[in-house]
Structure formats: C-alpha cells, structure tokens
Amino acid sequence: MTNDDLRREVNDWLAAHWSGAGSIAQGMWDTNAEMRAWYTKVFEARWSVPSWPVEWFGRNLSDEQTSIVIDAFARVGAPGTGQDRFNLPANTLLALASDALKDALIPGLLKREITTCLLYSEPSAGSDLAGVRTRAERDGDRFIVNGQKVWTSGAATADYGMLIARTDWEVPKHSGLSFFFLPMKQAGVEVRPLRQITDEAHFNEVFFTNAIVPAANLVGGLNQGWRVLQTALAYERSTMGANARKSRHGSADDIIALARAAGRLDDPLLRQDIARVIALRRLNALNNARAKADLEQGTSSSIMSLGKLAMSRILHEEARVRTAIIGAESLLAGETHPTADDVNFLALNAYFTSIGGGTDQIQKNIISERVLGLPKEPELDRNVPFKQVRSG
C-alpha cells in the first residue's frame, strides 16, 4: 500500500466513523461504555497498533506509515491509535508474553476494557528494584504472592497489576525475579491510598496476603523478570513526560499566554527563561522520537532515561518560570485563585516526575553507564545469593 492509499483509507474511515462533535472530540466521554465502544471500533479496524504484525491485531505498517495514521487521527481529535508506541502493558505483552496470554489480555487492553497498574517499588526497594522482597511461590498451576508494594498509581481500580516478585532466593538479586500479570480484584490484595502534597491520593500501598496469580500469567519465563521489567520501564519512561500534568484544573494555556496575561511578556529576562523552557521541550521531543525509533520489540532503550530526566528538569524549570511570571500572586491558593493554584500545583507535582518511574539519580546512573559507557557504580551485593543480602 502506498502512503497516498493509506491516507485515503484512514481519512475515509474517520469520516465514516468519527463524528468529531461535542464532548467526545475533547476526550470527555459521557460514559465508560461510550469510550470503550469507540476504542473497539478502532481495534476492529486495526488502527489501534498499526505497526504491529497482522496476526497480532495490527497492519504491519512502517514507522513512516504509522505516523501517517497517528497524524490523521490527531487532525480530527480522535483517540485510540498509536498504542504501539505508548500502551505499556500491551507492548510488554507483545514483546515477551506467551501467545495464550497475548490473546487473553491484549484485545481488552487495546479496547480499554482492561486496566492495569505497576507493582514494582517496595518500601526497601525503590531505586534498587532488583532488591524487591515480595515473594511468589509456585503451587501447582499458580503462584502464591505475599509482600508489599508502594507508590502504585491506579491500584484501587485496576484489573491487573504488572508484578515483579522474587521466585528464587538462592541466586543473585537480578536473577531470581519473575514478572506476572496479577489479578487485582481478589481477597488477597489490599489497597491503601497515600495522600500527596497536592492533597490528592494518586498513589497507593498494596499488600498481598496469599494472593493468587495463575502460572499462565507469567511473562518472559521463570526468573527472567528483570529482562521483562527493563522493557516495561522503557515504555513507562517514554510516556511519563508526555503525559505529565501541568494544571490542577486541566488548563491548556501555554507559558507565553500566561506571561502575556500577566503583562510580563516584554520582560527580557523572563523572555529568556520562557525561550529556554520551550527549547528544552522541543529538544526533548526530538530525543524521544529518536529513542522510540531505536526501541525494538523485546528490547529496552537506555536513551529513554535521557528523555525522562529531561522532562523532570523541564517541569521543575517551568514551575520556577511560571512562579516568577505571576510574582506575589503565587502566594494565593484555592479555586478562587485558579492561576496561582495551577502554578503552585505544577511546582508541587513536578516532584512526582523526578521520583516516579525511577528517580533522577537513577536515570543519571543509567545514562552514565549504558549511554556514555562509564564504569558501573559498585554493587557489593550484585553477585551474592539474595537470601544472604541484608535487609533494612
């Protein structure tokens, strides 16, 4: 199929199926059923993951042709495509899961019928994810899970948790991990919300007490979880910056509009700061495009860490500049002062990006070791059987 043929096909399909009217065009669905109905249409037409193989719900398009499809959907404000670039659980499954598990979960993920959360960090294993102590013990055709996770977004409503757990204590820490899709809605899973500095409860603690995960939900093979985790983390880091919230109230106003409204756009120092923020955002977008082009199914991309670190810097810098723009107004808060409330929310919420998905310090280690080729940071417990590693 030529590029022109593809453009005609996708544009004709959108013209026939996407109304582009009302709240749906803005992504504000009246009901979850309405949203799922649209995503199902996209899935059935094989627009959800256009670059994936035909046997796995795609069209086997090139990167260039995939971009044509994404651009066509974007022009009319229609969601649902491009999930081959950002749907973390679906991409992880395609890369490393069994065919049976792909068949069982991927369609529901692409149609928004199945939701997931990430069960990675623990109270004593945040930056060092290889040190997790949540255990999964084999019991016939299932595993029994006991332990605790923390900083889990969406745990209260998720259908499945992407779980990294220890399945072998006799080998070094990176070698004894396995990766599962654990059913969340069961008696052995307890979710407790964590209150944040923004007065939200976006994160949760999750406790497992004899929770059950079928052996069929193991991804990548027994004790191969570290490899699976690296693939999943690469997708997570590639999407965190793009989805970072800039406003409590959902305002789409850009930083130039904010300066103009405050009468500060002629301030030469602020103009320099604004230009720096815009330049950083543009550079990061180009870097992310490069990283995604290099990311092949079944592999991880260390360059993703550069983009994730850059977005953390951008959000903190933009919060500083926005605060400088509104000046003393930033001392106000609450819904009666929406501009100040948005600026303060950005300043507080920026810390989420510099912690979640791997701290800035961890990203710097990854960049130094895997991108720049510098010597690795010493790890005294790296080659020690995990049962001999001290805890706490």
Side-chain angles (χ1 to χ4, degrees), residues 22-340:
S23 61
I24 299 178
Q26 301 169 22
M28 302 299 291
W29 308 90
D30 291 336
T31 65
N32 285 333
E34 191 177 59
M35 176 189 69
R36 288 194 295 269
W38 170 253
Y39 274 85
T40 298
K41 283 185 179 182
V42 177
F43 172 79
E44 291 174 347
R46 297 183 177 271
W47 298 124
S48 300
V49 284
S51 69
W52 282 14
V54 173
E55 61 269 29
W56 292 115
F57 323 111
R59 287 172 169 255
N60 201 32
L61 299 184
S62 66
D63 285 343
E64 180 184 5
Q65 290 187 319
T66 297
S67 295
I68 289 173
V69 175
I70 292 173
D71 291 344
F73 271 69
R75 276 194 300 272
V76 299
T81 193
Q83 295 189 60
D84 41 2
R85 296 186 177 181
F86 67 80
N87 191 316
L88 188 161
N91 279 285
T92 303
L93 286 166
L94 180 72
L96 296 164
S98 66
D99 287 355
L101 192 58
K102 293 176 191 177
D103 274 326
L105 296 183
I106 286 179
L109 289 165
L110 298 180
K111 292 186 285 186
R112 292 296 193 268
E113 295 172 348
I114 295 175
T115 59
T116 61
C117 63
L118 306 180
L119 300 169
Y120 300 165
S121 295
E122 299 180 3
S124 60
S127 296
D128 180 18
L129 280 177
V132 300
R133 291 179 174 272
T134 292
R135 62 176 65 223
E137 298 174 304
R138 189 74 184 244
D139 178 28
D141 62 354
R142 63 182 188 172
F143 286 81
I144 308 299
V145 180
N146 286 279
Q148 178 188 358
K149 297 293 179 176
V150 72
W151 309 123
T152 302
S153 304
T157 57
D159 298 304
Y160 289 88
M162 297 172 65
L163 170 71
I164 187 77
R166 190 157 302 280
T167 47
D168 190 342
W169 296 69
E170 303 293 332
V171 296
K173 59 183 181 180
H174 293 83
S175 302
L177 300 172
S178 296
F179 196 100
F180 303 89
F181 272 71
L182 179 140
M184 291 291 290
K185 296 173 181 177
Q186 58 173 298
V189 177
E190 179 187 359
V191 178
R192 301 179 190 173
L194 293 169
R195 185 64 56 183
Q196 299 161 232
I197 194 173
T198 57
D199 200 33
E200 298 174 309
H202 185 66
F203 303 106
N204 304 273
E205 294 176 289
V206 183
F207 297 85
F208 306 103
T209 306
N210 295 327
I212 296 171
V213 57
N217 287 23
L218 174 67
V219 179
L222 186 66
N223 296 331
Q224 299 298 311
W226 187 251
R227 179 172 66 102
V228 184
L229 179 64
Q230 296 313 299
T231 298
L233 285 173
Y235 282 105
E236 180 187 10
R237 290 162 182 166
S238 73
T239 59
M240 279 190 68
N243 296 327
R245 290 176 61 194
K246 295 175 62 179
S247 164
R248 187 191 299 276
H249 303 291
S251 171
D253 292 342
D254 63 27
I255 195 169
I256 296 175
L258 180 66
R260 182 178 289 112
R264 304 290 305 279
L265 196 56
D266 292 334
D267 185 316
L269 295 180
L270 281 177
R271 288 170 68 92
Q272 281 187 336
D273 287 341
I274 292 169
R276 183 179 302 110
V277 168
I278 294 172
L280 287 171
R281 283 191 171 276
R282 179 58 179 159
L283 180 62
N284 192 44
L286 293 171
N287 184 74
N288 283 340
R290 167 194 171 198
K292 289 177 181 178
D294 291 342
L295 187 65
E296 298 178 353
Q297 295 292 350
T299 65
S300 61
S301 173
S302 303
I303 300 174
M304 292 296 188
S305 292
L306 189 60
K308 200 272 181 182
L309 180 64
M311 182 51 68
S312 171
R313 176 188 174 190
I314 290 166
L315 290 178
H316 282 280
E317 178 67 7
E318 184 166 341
R320 182 191 69 79
V321 175
R322 286 176 179 261
T323 301
I325 288 172
I326 67 171
E329 187 182 353
S330 64
L331 298 174
L332 304 175
E335 294 186 358
T336 55
H337 306 283
T339 299

